[in-house]
Amino acid sequence: MAVNNTSGSAPGSTLGTLMGVMNTAKEKWDSSGANDAMNRVAASVPQGTKDYLSATTGELFNRQRLRSVTVCFGIGEERPFYVEKSPALLIARVKHNFTFFYLNYMILTALLFCLTLLISPSAIIGIGLLGALWVYVIQQTQKGTLVIAGKNISQNQATTALVIFSGLTLFFLLRGIFWYALCSSGFLVLVHAGLRDASMHQDGDDHVDMVGEVPGETAAFLNDNNGV
């Protein structure tokens, strides 16, 4: 009796085909000289600008600013979520949460964007065609054989035109995905920022100020012998 294994092998064959396409695209990208073109563009940026961008992005995406699941959802806290009825306290809570959880919110938005993109075949095909166009144009300009309307197009001219064309194309391809992901993540972020009471983290990374019974008086802890 023959056993049909096509259903079990289909996912493997699909994955193998996808990996083959990705490897082929990478080889064509490397052989087209696209990396050299990108390196030349990067080399033209002033060093001061590079240093500023590096420092800014390093601080913005500092991994220490990514809050753990325990902190993000207040696991183990007595009342991690509740409705704040005072407008002033609610505004203060939202401002603090946006500052404290901003990297978690950015990752949530990026994740929703990627998940929405995966279920949009037209956008994936469009991005693939756009990448293929970049590879073709870079190859042709390097050979000096890219001619439009009887005029040879240099690599700088082609790159500038492609940047503008790519921006417009991505805008039309991804605008629906972008707005859907932005609205979905915005709703979730507002709900979390409005309900999550992270006041115990007000002073920084999991730092809690211990205050005594008398208002404004810091309690004595851990071998404080001032009162002895």
Side-chain angles (χ1 to χ4, degrees):
M1 179 178 179
V3 179
N4 187 1
N5 294 324
T6 56
S7 60
S9 62
S13 62
T14 302
L15 181 60
T17 303
L18 180 60
M19 293 298 295
V21 171
M22 293 176 63
N23 290 333
T24 302
K26 183 179 183 301
E27 292 174 359
K28 289 184 175 296
W29 174 269
D30 293 337
S31 62
S32 67
N35 286 331
D36 294 335
M38 295 297 293
N39 290 334
R40 286 195 295 271
V41 172
S44 64
V45 178
Q47 186 61 40
T49 303
K50 292 181 183 179
D51 294 339
Y52 174 77
L53 291 176
S54 177
T56 302
T57 54
E59 180 65 21
L60 181 64
F61 297 103
N62 188 347
R63 193 180 184 282
Q64 294 181 351
R65 298 182 180 274
L66 180 63
R67 312 306 172 188
S68 65
V69 175
T70 301
V71 175
C72 189
F73 293 100
I75 298 175
E77 298 179 21
E78 185 177 353
R79 292 183 65 194
F81 294 91
Y82 69 89
V83 177
E84 178 58 67
K85 297 180 180 179
S86 171
L89 294 178
L90 179 60
I91 293 174
R93 172 192 287 184
V94 171
K95 289 174 63 177
H96 169 253
N97 285 343
F98 271 115
T99 303
F100 191 68
F101 295 111
Y102 78 91
L103 197 52
N104 296 74
Y105 295 157
M106 291 175 65
I107 291 177
L108 172 64
T109 302
L111 181 61
L112 287 176
F113 180 84
C114 293
L115 291 176
T116 308
L117 180 62
L118 289 176
I119 59 176
S120 303
S122 59
I124 296 177
I125 294 173
I127 293 174
L129 293 175
L130 191 62
L133 178 62
W134 270 91
V135 172
Y136 172 78
V137 170
I138 290 175
Q139 284 181 335
Q140 296 303 312
T141 52
Q142 282 186 333
K143 298 175 183 178
T145 57
L146 183 62
V147 180
I148 298 178
K151 181 181 178 180
N152 287 328
I153 305 300
S154 67
Q155 194 169 69
N156 288 336
Q157 293 172 330
T159 301
T160 301
L162 271 180
V163 167
I164 298 174
F165 177 76
S166 299
L168 294 174
T169 301
L170 290 175
F171 172 77
F172 285 107
L173 280 177
L174 304 179
R175 67 184 187 279
I177 297 173
F178 172 79
W179 286 114
Y180 179 82
L182 188 64
C183 292
S184 301
S185 63
F187 173 76
L188 295 176
V189 165
L190 286 176
V191 170
H192 182 273
L195 296 179
R196 173 72 172 104
D197 177 25
S199 56
M200 67 177 299
H201 307 286
Q202 189 76 32
D203 295 323
D205 297 338
D206 299 337
H207 175 72
V208 182
D209 287 338
M210 306 301 293
V211 181
E213 295 180 359
V214 179
E217 177 184 350
T218 303
F221 294 101
L222 301 178
N223 300 326
D224 185 356
N225 298 320
N226 294 332
V228 179

